[in-house]
mmCIF file of all heavy atoms in Angstrom:
data_model
loop_
_atom_site.group_PDB
_atom_site.id
_atom_site.type_symbol
_atom_site.label_atom_id
_atom_site.label_comp_id
_atom_site.label_asym_id
_atom_site.label_seq_id
_atom_site.Cartn_x
_atom_site.Cartn_y
_atom_site.Cartn_z
ATOM 1 N N ARG A 1 90.365 119.001 90.391
ATOM 2 C CA ARG A 1 89.109 119.619 89.951
ATOM 3 C C ARG A 1 87.932 118.720 90.306
ATOM 4 O O ARG A 1 87.853 118.274 91.448
ATOM 5 C CB ARG A 1 89.194 119.963 88.448
ATOM 6 C CG ARG A 1 90.375 120.895 88.128
ATOM 7 C CD ARG A 1 90.453 121.329 86.684
ATOM 8 N NE ARG A 1 89.372 122.280 86.390
ATOM 9 C CZ ARG A 1 89.419 123.590 86.674
ATOM 10 N NH1 ARG A 1 90.484 124.092 87.290
ATOM 11 N NH2 ARG A 1 88.444 124.371 86.352
ATOM 12 N N SER A 2 87.033 118.397 89.415
ATOM 13 C CA SER A 2 85.876 117.585 89.787
ATOM 14 C C SER A 2 86.275 116.193 90.271
ATOM 15 O O SER A 2 85.582 115.570 91.060
ATOM 16 C CB SER A 2 84.881 117.480 88.620
ATOM 17 O OG SER A 2 85.452 116.823 87.530
ATOM 18 N N SER A 3 87.386 115.677 89.755
ATOM 19 C CA SER A 3 87.858 114.357 90.147
ATOM 20 C C SER A 3 88.484 114.353 91.569
ATOM 21 O O SER A 3 88.725 113.291 92.111
ATOM 22 C CB SER A 3 88.851 113.813 89.138
ATOM 23 O OG SER A 3 88.265 113.636 87.886
ATOM 24 N N ALA A 4 88.763 115.520 92.076
ATOM 25 C CA ALA A 4 89.372 115.611 93.403
ATOM 26 C C ALA A 4 88.431 115.040 94.467
ATOM 27 O O ALA A 4 88.882 114.445 95.472
ATOM 28 C CB ALA A 4 89.708 117.064 93.737
ATOM 29 N N SER A 5 87.117 115.191 94.273
ATOM 30 C CA SER A 5 86.165 114.656 95.245
ATOM 31 C C SER A 5 86.225 113.112 95.290
ATOM 32 O O SER A 5 86.155 112.501 96.368
ATOM 33 C CB SER A 5 84.753 115.113 94.911
ATOM 34 O OG SER A 5 84.361 114.698 93.606
ATOM 35 N N LEU A 6 86.412 112.510 94.128
ATOM 36 C CA LEU A 6 86.538 111.048 94.059
ATOM 37 C C LEU A 6 87.824 110.591 94.737
ATOM 38 O O LEU A 6 87.847 109.612 95.502
ATOM 39 C CB LEU A 6 86.546 110.569 92.604
ATOM 40 C CG LEU A 6 85.247 110.765 91.836
ATOM 41 C CD1 LEU A 6 85.475 110.448 90.344
ATOM 42 C CD2 LEU A 6 84.103 109.922 92.398
ATOM 43 N N ALA A 7 88.927 111.310 94.465
ATOM 44 C CA ALA A 7 90.212 110.956 95.072
ATOM 45 C C ALA A 7 90.161 111.119 96.581
ATOM 46 O O ALA A 7 90.668 110.271 97.346
ATOM 47 C CB ALA A 7 91.325 111.847 94.482
ATOM 48 N N SER A 8 89.537 112.176 97.066
ATOM 49 C CA SER A 8 89.432 112.410 98.506
ATOM 50 C C SER A 8 88.591 111.351 99.191
ATOM 51 O O SER A 8 88.935 110.892 100.283
ATOM 52 C CB SER A 8 88.817 113.792 98.790
ATOM 53 O OG SER A 8 89.676 114.819 98.314
ATOM 54 N N PHE A 9 87.489 110.949 98.559
ATOM 55 C CA PHE A 9 86.627 109.909 99.116
ATOM 56 C C PHE A 9 87.407 108.599 99.212
ATOM 57 O O PHE A 9 87.351 107.892 100.222
ATOM 58 C CB PHE A 9 85.398 109.745 98.231
ATOM 59 C CG PHE A 9 84.455 108.636 98.685
ATOM 60 C CD1 PHE A 9 83.515 108.893 99.657
ATOM 61 C CD2 PHE A 9 84.553 107.353 98.121
ATOM 62 C CE1 PHE A 9 82.638 107.875 100.064
ATOM 63 C CE2 PHE A 9 83.701 106.342 98.512
ATOM 64 C CZ PHE A 9 82.755 106.607 99.511
ATOM 65 N N PHE A 10 88.140 108.243 98.139
ATOM 66 C CA PHE A 10 88.914 107.007 98.133
ATOM 67 C C PHE A 10 89.979 107.061 99.223
ATOM 68 O O PHE A 10 90.189 106.105 99.985
ATOM 69 C CB PHE A 10 89.523 106.823 96.750
ATOM 70 C CG PHE A 10 90.285 105.533 96.605
ATOM 71 C CD1 PHE A 10 89.631 104.324 96.736
ATOM 72 C CD2 PHE A 10 91.614 105.522 96.293
ATOM 73 C CE1 PHE A 10 90.298 103.105 96.584
ATOM 74 C CE2 PHE A 10 92.319 104.322 96.131
ATOM 75 C CZ PHE A 10 91.662 103.125 96.302
ATOM 76 N N TYR A 11 90.700 108.176 99.294
ATOM 77 C CA TYR A 11 91.781 108.333 100.266
ATOM 78 C C TYR A 11 91.236 108.246 101.713
ATOM 79 O O TYR A 11 91.822 107.540 102.542
ATOM 80 C CB TYR A 11 92.495 109.662 100.072
ATOM 81 C CG TYR A 11 93.454 110.004 101.175
ATOM 82 C CD1 TYR A 11 94.738 109.453 101.191
ATOM 83 C CD2 TYR A 11 93.099 110.851 102.213
ATOM 84 C CE1 TYR A 11 95.632 109.714 102.216
ATOM 85 C CE2 TYR A 11 93.963 111.158 103.247
ATOM 86 C CZ TYR A 11 95.226 110.582 103.242
ATOM 87 O OH TYR A 11 96.105 110.861 104.255
ATOM 88 N N PHE A 12 90.153 108.957 101.967
ATOM 89 C CA PHE A 12 89.602 108.966 103.332
ATOM 90 C C PHE A 12 89.293 107.561 103.795
ATOM 91 O O PHE A 12 89.641 107.156 104.941
ATOM 92 C CB PHE A 12 88.324 109.841 103.385
ATOM 93 C CG PHE A 12 87.594 109.731 104.677
ATOM 94 C CD1 PHE A 12 88.020 110.478 105.778
ATOM 95 C CD2 PHE A 12 86.497 108.908 104.831
ATOM 96 C CE1 PHE A 12 87.353 110.383 106.993
ATOM 97 C CE2 PHE A 12 85.817 108.805 106.037
ATOM 98 C CZ PHE A 12 86.237 109.547 107.117
ATOM 99 N N ASN A 13 88.612 106.767 102.981
ATOM 100 C CA ASN A 13 88.195 105.440 103.407
ATOM 101 C C ASN A 13 89.349 104.437 103.398
ATOM 102 O O ASN A 13 89.426 103.596 104.303
ATOM 103 C CB ASN A 13 87.042 104.939 102.485
ATOM 104 C CG ASN A 13 85.757 105.662 102.739
ATOM 105 O OD1 ASN A 13 85.067 105.364 103.717
ATOM 106 N ND2 ASN A 13 85.416 106.606 101.902
ATOM 107 N N LEU A 14 90.229 104.539 102.419
ATOM 108 C CA LEU A 14 91.358 103.604 102.387
ATOM 109 C C LEU A 14 92.326 103.890 103.528
ATOM 110 O O LEU A 14 92.982 103.002 104.020
ATOM 111 C CB LEU A 14 92.074 103.698 101.023
ATOM 112 C CG LEU A 14 92.868 102.502 100.576
ATOM 113 C CD1 LEU A 14 91.970 101.276 100.408
ATOM 114 C CD2 LEU A 14 93.624 102.773 99.284
ATOM 115 N N ASN A 15 92.387 105.147 103.942
ATOM 116 C CA ASN A 15 93.281 105.556 105.026
ATOM 117 C C ASN A 15 92.826 104.960 106.353
ATOM 118 O O ASN A 15 93.617 104.882 107.303
ATOM 119 C CB ASN A 15 93.338 107.079 105.120
ATOM 120 C CG ASN A 15 94.452 107.552 105.981
ATOM 121 O OD1 ASN A 15 95.592 107.127 105.837
ATOM 122 N ND2 ASN A 15 94.174 108.479 106.867
ATOM 123 N N LEU A 16 91.556 104.531 106.463
ATOM 124 C CA LEU A 16 91.089 103.844 107.669
ATOM 125 C C LEU A 16 91.601 102.422 107.733
ATOM 126 O O LEU A 16 91.559 101.786 108.781
ATOM 127 C CB LEU A 16 89.566 103.839 107.685
ATOM 128 C CG LEU A 16 88.871 105.208 107.781
ATOM 129 C CD1 LEU A 16 87.358 105.044 107.669
ATOM 130 C CD2 LEU A 16 89.242 105.894 109.100
ATOM 131 N N ILE A 17 92.100 101.934 106.593
ATOM 132 C CA ILE A 17 92.559 100.530 106.488
ATOM 133 C C ILE A 17 94.084 100.448 106.443
ATOM 134 O O ILE A 17 94.698 99.581 107.074
ATOM 135 C CB ILE A 17 91.959 99.854 105.237
ATOM 136 C CG1 ILE A 17 90.442 99.935 105.275
ATOM 137 C CG2 ILE A 17 92.424 98.401 105.146
ATOM 138 C CD1 ILE A 17 89.783 99.453 104.010
ATOM 139 N N PHE A 18 94.712 101.366 105.710
ATOM 140 C CA PHE A 18 96.167 101.328 105.527
ATOM 141 C C PHE A 18 96.836 102.556 106.120
ATOM 142 O O PHE A 18 96.223 103.624 106.235
ATOM 143 C CB PHE A 18 96.499 101.290 104.008
ATOM 144 C CG PHE A 18 96.017 100.045 103.340
ATOM 145 C CD1 PHE A 18 94.951 100.083 102.475
ATOM 146 C CD2 PHE A 18 96.647 98.824 103.506
ATOM 147 C CE1 PHE A 18 94.507 98.931 101.822
ATOM 148 C CE2 PHE A 18 96.232 97.670 102.867
ATOM 149 C CZ PHE A 18 95.157 97.726 102.029
ATOM 150 N N ASP A 19 98.132 102.405 106.456
ATOM 151 C CA ASP A 19 98.927 103.525 106.941
ATOM 152 C C ASP A 19 99.818 104.096 105.838
ATOM 153 O O ASP A 19 100.379 105.174 106.022
ATOM 154 C CB ASP A 19 99.804 103.093 108.113
ATOM 155 C CG ASP A 19 98.970 102.705 109.350
ATOM 156 O OD1 ASP A 19 97.981 103.418 109.622
ATOM 157 O OD2 ASP A 19 99.286 101.701 109.987
ATOM 158 N N ASN A 20 99.970 103.366 104.755
ATOM 159 C CA ASN A 20 100.961 103.740 103.725
ATOM 160 C C ASN A 20 100.314 104.525 102.583
ATOM 161 O O ASN A 20 100.473 104.217 101.403
ATOM 162 C CB ASN A 20 101.639 102.508 103.176
ATOM 163 C CG ASN A 20 100.657 101.483 102.593
ATOM 164 O OD1 ASN A 20 99.508 101.428 103.012
ATOM 165 N ND2 ASN A 20 101.147 100.665 101.667
ATOM 166 N N LEU A 21 99.518 105.535 102.956
ATOM 167 C CA LEU A 21 98.783 106.288 101.969
ATOM 168 C C LEU A 21 99.239 107.741 101.934
ATOM 169 O O LEU A 21 99.614 108.317 102.964
ATOM 170 C CB LEU A 21 97.268 106.272 102.297
ATOM 171 C CG LEU A 21 96.384 105.645 101.237
ATOM 172 C CD1 LEU A 21 96.588 104.135 101.238
ATOM 173 C CD2 LEU A 21 94.925 105.967 101.503
ATOM 174 N N LYS A 22 99.202 108.341 100.739
ATOM 175 C CA LYS A 22 99.518 109.741 100.594
ATOM 176 C C LYS A 22 98.561 110.366 99.573
ATOM 177 O O LYS A 22 98.466 109.893 98.445
ATOM 178 C CB LYS A 22 100.967 109.960 100.130
ATOM 179 C CG LYS A 22 101.354 111.418 100.005
ATOM 180 C CD LYS A 22 102.822 111.569 99.749
ATOM 181 C CE LYS A 22 103.231 113.047 99.730
ATOM 182 N NZ LYS A 22 104.675 113.234 99.497
ATOM 183 N N LEU A 23 97.817 111.377 99.967
ATOM 184 C CA LEU A 23 96.962 112.120 99.072
ATOM 185 C C LEU A 23 97.763 113.251 98.444
ATOM 186 O O LEU A 23 98.202 114.172 99.154
ATOM 187 C CB LEU A 23 95.739 112.671 99.798
ATOM 188 C CG LEU A 23 94.744 113.473 98.957
ATOM 189 C CD1 LEU A 23 94.115 112.606 97.884
ATOM 190 C CD2 LEU A 23 93.660 114.100 99.845
ATOM 191 N N VAL A 24 97.995 113.175 97.160
ATOM 192 C CA VAL A 24 98.791 114.201 96.482
ATOM 193 C C VAL A 24 97.940 115.442 96.320
ATOM 194 O O VAL A 24 96.838 115.401 95.770
ATOM 195 C CB VAL A 24 99.253 113.687 95.108
ATOM 196 C CG1 VAL A 24 100.072 114.758 94.389
ATOM 197 C CG2 VAL A 24 100.064 112.396 95.254
ATOM 198 N N GLN A 25 98.446 116.579 96.810
ATOM 199 C CA GLN A 25 97.759 117.834 96.754
ATOM 200 C C GLN A 25 98.285 118.646 95.577
ATOM 201 O O GLN A 25 99.356 119.263 95.687
ATOM 202 C CB GLN A 25 97.912 118.602 98.068
ATOM 203 C CG GLN A 25 97.485 117.839 99.298
ATOM 204 C CD GLN A 25 95.979 117.757 99.422
ATOM 205 O OE1 GLN A 25 95.238 118.401 98.655
ATOM 206 N NE2 GLN A 25 95.464 116.976 100.381
ATOM 207 N N PRO A 26 97.596 118.671 94.465
ATOM 208 C CA PRO A 26 98.137 119.282 93.246
ATOM 209 C C PRO A 26 97.885 120.790 93.131
ATOM 210 O O PRO A 26 97.156 121.237 92.245
ATOM 211 C CB PRO A 26 97.409 118.512 92.119
ATOM 212 C CG PRO A 26 96.096 118.206 92.727
ATOM 213 C CD PRO A 26 96.296 118.048 94.198
ATOM 214 N N THR A 27 98.463 121.573 94.012
ATOM 215 C CA THR A 27 98.258 123.011 93.934
ATOM 216 C C THR A 27 99.010 123.623 92.754
ATOM 217 O O THR A 27 98.633 124.627 92.206
ATOM 218 C CB THR A 27 98.723 123.699 95.243
ATOM 219 O OG1 THR A 27 100.079 123.271 95.530
ATOM 220 C CG2 THR A 27 97.825 123.310 96.401
ATOM 221 N N SER A 28 100.120 123.000 92.379
ATOM 222 C CA SER A 28 100.857 123.401 91.185
ATOM 223 C C SER A 28 101.519 122.154 90.595
ATOM 224 O O SER A 28 101.719 121.150 91.251
ATOM 225 C CB SER A 28 101.899 124.460 91.514
ATOM 226 O OG SER A 28 102.944 123.907 92.263
ATOM 227 N N THR A 29 101.891 122.228 89.303
ATOM 228 C CA THR A 29 102.509 121.084 88.649
ATOM 229 C C THR A 29 103.831 120.723 89.319
ATOM 230 O O THR A 29 104.156 119.555 89.531
ATOM 231 C CB THR A 29 102.746 121.389 87.148
ATOM 232 O OG1 THR A 29 101.516 121.691 86.532
ATOM 233 C CG2 THR A 29 103.387 120.188 86.464
ATOM 234 N N SER A 30 104.650 121.740 89.698
ATOM 235 C CA SER A 30 105.928 121.463 90.320
ATOM 236 C C SER A 30 105.745 120.764 91.646
ATOM 237 O O SER A 30 106.507 119.856 92.025
ATOM 238 C CB SER A 30 106.729 122.777 90.529
ATOM 239 O OG SER A 30 106.009 123.663 91.363
ATOM 240 N N GLU A 31 104.696 121.139 92.435
ATOM 241 C CA GLU A 31 104.470 120.508 93.724
ATOM 242 C C GLU A 31 103.983 119.087 93.581
ATOM 243 O O GLU A 31 104.220 118.252 94.456
ATOM 244 C CB GLU A 31 103.460 121.350 94.532
ATOM 245 C CG GLU A 31 104.039 122.659 94.996
ATOM 246 C CD GLU A 31 103.115 123.404 95.944
ATOM 247 O OE1 GLU A 31 102.058 122.818 96.343
ATOM 248 O OE2 GLU A 31 103.396 124.545 96.277
ATOM 249 N N VAL A 32 103.292 118.775 92.486
ATOM 250 C CA VAL A 32 102.896 117.378 92.231
ATOM 251 C C VAL A 32 104.137 116.527 92.126
ATOM 252 O O VAL A 32 104.207 115.439 92.723
ATOM 253 C CB VAL A 32 102.069 117.277 90.926
ATOM 254 C CG1 VAL A 32 101.901 115.835 90.519
ATOM 255 C CG2 VAL A 32 100.684 117.926 91.123
ATOM 256 N N PHE A 33 105.145 116.968 91.370
ATOM 257 C CA PHE A 33 106.363 116.164 91.203
ATOM 258 C C PHE A 33 107.148 116.108 92.504
ATOM 259 O O PHE A 33 107.805 115.092 92.788
ATOM 260 C CB PHE A 33 107.209 116.753 90.065
ATOM 261 C CG PHE A 33 106.642 116.509 88.721
ATOM 262 C CD1 PHE A 33 106.128 117.518 87.961
ATOM 263 C CD2 PHE A 33 106.621 115.215 88.193
ATOM 264 C CE1 PHE A 33 105.608 117.276 86.710
ATOM 265 C CE2 PHE A 33 106.091 114.953 86.950
ATOM 266 C CZ PHE A 33 105.595 116.010 86.181
ATOM 267 N N GLU A 34 107.094 117.166 93.292
ATOM 268 C CA GLU A 34 107.771 117.123 94.584
ATOM 269 C C GLU A 34 107.152 116.071 95.510
ATOM 270 O O GLU A 34 107.845 115.343 96.206
ATOM 271 C CB GLU A 34 107.702 118.505 95.255
ATOM 272 C CG GLU A 34 108.555 119.557 94.569
ATOM 273 C CD GLU A 34 108.252 120.972 95.012
ATOM 274 O OE1 GLU A 34 107.454 121.104 95.959
ATOM 275 O OE2 GLU A 34 108.779 121.911 94.409
#
């Protein structure tokens, strides 16, 4: 929700530095756990 913009900003910039990053896409609760 509103915090997704913060997470995306952090992921975008940190991904320029590290390769071991994963942005969790929470379309549903079950997919979050997957």
